[in-house]
Amino acid sequence: MTQYVYGKNVVKQLLQEDKKIYEILMAEGMRDTALEKLIKEHKITCKILPRKKMDGMLQGNHQGIAAKIDDYKTYELLELLESIPKGKMPLFVMLDGLEDPHNLGAILRTCDCVGVDGVIIGKHRNVGLTPTVAKVSTGAIDTVKVAMVTNLAQSIKYLKKQGFWIVGTDFENSRDYREGQYDVPLVIVVGSEGFGISSLVKKNCDYCVRLPMEGVVTSLNASVACGILLYEIYNQRHPL
């Protein structure tokens, strides 16, 4: 199966990393000398289309360019475990019901920055690896392994048997995120934008953490909250 991904930075990175590209679509009137040079160097078929036609084909801000590539690969949970570098303290992020592709893309980008070993998402009620996710991730969709599992609760039980601690994110019955124990094999669970983590997943967490809220707003964007927590883990694991 193939798909179109779009955006100047996305296509440029695919070209620079010599990824397999079947064809490139470019809007009439678009001018980007550097991109055009890369396309010619890689000898990839480039079709010039009216911008309105591209608008109809692609959802989101394509910036006048798109590339046809293979669907993004997903992994089995066991493959994520086997890919953890020897001697590294493991860290996974599990997403429970996340629906916004912009949030998933931003989370993948942060995961790449802090060295997360993989992201685990459910096959149902979760956004998949879409072109919008690819665009927002700015390349991290290719560097951070993503496992799609049928049952998050069962996956948690399996990971516990492998020695992982499961830390949920929830405002009730939780501790300050700075009080978490992060020097162990860890899975951070982030819930959906509107409902948080499900009751069954929360039940299987070892404990939950929360971010302090001093103002009138009672929650943060899922990707922002995840980023803050991941950098606190990084800070504790890699102190100055």
Side-chain angles (χ1 to χ4, degrees), residues 80-92 115-117:
L80 260 61
L81 290 167
E82 292 176 341
S83 68
I84 299 170
K86 188 176 181 180
K88 183 180 182 298
M89 188 62 73
L91 175 60
F92 291 143
V116 169
D117 297 296

Side-chain angles (χ1 to χ4, degrees), residues 192-205:
S192 69
E193 296 85 351
F195 302 100
I197 59 178
S198 63
S199 57
L200 183 58
V201 167
K202 184 179 178 181
K203 181 180 177 181
N204 284 281
C205 291

Side-chain angles (χ1 to χ4, degrees), residues 66-114:
K68 187 177 184 181
I69 63 171
D70 291 317
D71 285 340
Y72 285 106
K73 182 180 179 181
T74 57
Y75 297 81
E76 299 294 330
L77 188 54
L78 182 59
E79 291 180 291
L80 260 61
L81 290 167
E82 292 176 341
S83 68
I84 299 170
K86 188 176 181 180
K88 183 180 182 298
M89 188 62 73
L91 175 60
F92 291 143
V93 171
M94 177 178 284
L95 303 176
D96 180 14
L98 200 74
E99 298 178 342
D100 188 339
H102 294 87
N103 274 333
L104 178 54
I107 287 171
L108 289 173
R109 186 173 182 176
T110 305
C111 286
D112 176 85
C113 291
V114 301

